[in-house]
């Protein structure tokens, strides 16, 4: 049977501009699937998140990664294209009592100002990661860590890779300009 991440990868090919042979869509949405708690913990651990960090989760879903980072004392920002997800994320951050450390923005991650981040977390799709790469390289400060659940960054070789509950998690660090 086709594994879930492979299914997402196939889906991304189906929605990619090259596969469609048409003009690039304004937005390519990754489907809403949550990272399991153990994967979230492993992502934060791989990035070495501490209270001095500002973590941006691009495509934040219900805000669980931002909430987990805020519980470690880090500042967190979640961005999601779906306003319903942002409503859930705001409710979850209130429920966890960490609203002073977290904020959420409804919008396209490609339009977001991410320059304040010291850590970026992603659980998107292969095509989205590749399209995002130039923005990460251009806008992030050297030393910013990027962690991706499930999908890599093409030929940008990860410094570290862990497998948690059958899912790969990758870490990169933005190099000096
Ligand atoms: C696989 S879910 C990941 C949710 C969360 N980060 C996690 O790991 O549990 C991907 C999320 O990205 C959002 N998304 C997809 N395309 C987006 C875009 N262009 N801009 C912002 N959010 C987007 C979806 O709405 C969805 O909530």
């Amino acid at each position: 049977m086709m594994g879930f991440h492979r299914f997402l990868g196939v889906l991304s090919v189906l929605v990619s501009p090259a596969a469609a042979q048409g003009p690039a869509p304004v937005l390519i949405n990754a489907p809403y699937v949550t990272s399991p708690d153990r994967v979230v913990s492993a992502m934060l651990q791989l990035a070495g998140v501490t209270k001095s960090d500002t973590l941006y989760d691009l495509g934040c879903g219900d805000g669980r990664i931002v909430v987990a980072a805020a519980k470690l004392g880090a500042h967190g920002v979640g961005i999601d294209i779906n306003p319903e997800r942002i409503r859930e994320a705001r409710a979850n951050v209130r429920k966890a009592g960490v609203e002073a450390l977290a904020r959420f923005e409804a919008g396209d991650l490609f339009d977001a100002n991410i320059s304040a981040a010291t850590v970026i977390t992603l659980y998107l799709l292969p095509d989205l990661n590749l399209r995002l790469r130039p923005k990460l390289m251009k806008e992030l400060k050297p030393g910013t860590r990027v962690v991706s659940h499930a999908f890599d960054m093409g030929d940008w070789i990860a410094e570290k890779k862990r497998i948690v509950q059958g899912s790969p998690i990758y870490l990169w660090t933005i190099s000096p300009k």
Side-chain angles (χ1 to χ4, degrees):
M1 202 174 78
M2 186 185 285
F4 182 68
H5 297 309
R6 183 154 157 62
F7 166 74
L8 290 181
V10 170
L11 182 67
S12 81
V13 170
L14 291 175
V15 299
S16 76
Q21 300 277 312
V26 180
L27 300 173
I28 299 178
N29 279 292
Y32 176 50
V33 186
T34 55
S35 296
D37 290 346
R38 275 182 54 203
V39 170
V40 172
S41 302
M43 290 171 83
L44 300 184
Q45 203 173 29
L46 199 60
V49 172
T50 70
K51 60 180 191 285
S52 6
D53 281 309
T54 300
L55 175 148
Y56 277 57
D57 187 22
L58 305 183
C60 66
D62 66 1
R64 60 185 57 209
I65 296 179
V66 171
V67 168
K71 285 182 175 169
L72 296 175
H75 284 85
V77 179
I79 296 160
D80 206 286
I81 197 80
N82 187 335
E84 201 181 322
R85 297 284 93 77
I86 295 297
R87 279 193 290 278
E88 289 165 5
R90 287 185 178 139
N92 287 336
V93 96
R94 275 195 300 276
K95 213 183 296 168
V98 289
E99 59 269 54
L101 288 173
R103 69 182 172 83
F104 295 95
E105 298 170 11
D108 188 343
L109 61 90
F110 286 97
D111 297 333
N113 180 347
I114 57 170
S115 58
T118 60
V119 176
I120 295 282
T121 52
L122 308 169
Y123 181 23
L124 297 169
L125 284 171
D127 276 27
L128 279 174
N129 275 11
L130 291 183
R131 288 185 57 203
L132 190 56
R133 213 172 112 176
K135 178 177 171 75
L136 300 177
M137 299 290 190
K138 185 168 168 224
E139 296 180 20
L140 296 174
K141 297 181 287 288
T144 303
R145 291 93 80 205
V146 177
V147 180
S148 174
H149 173 194
F151 303 113
D152 65 16
M153 288 276 180
D155 61 6
W156 186 16
I157 302 300
E159 286 157 45
K160 288 187 182 167
K161 179 181 175 185
R162 300 261 182 284
I163 306 285
V164 180
Q165 285 188 227
S167 289
I169 302 168
Y170 302 91
L171 170 77
W172 302 263
T173 304
I174 301 295
S175 308
K177 311 274 181 210

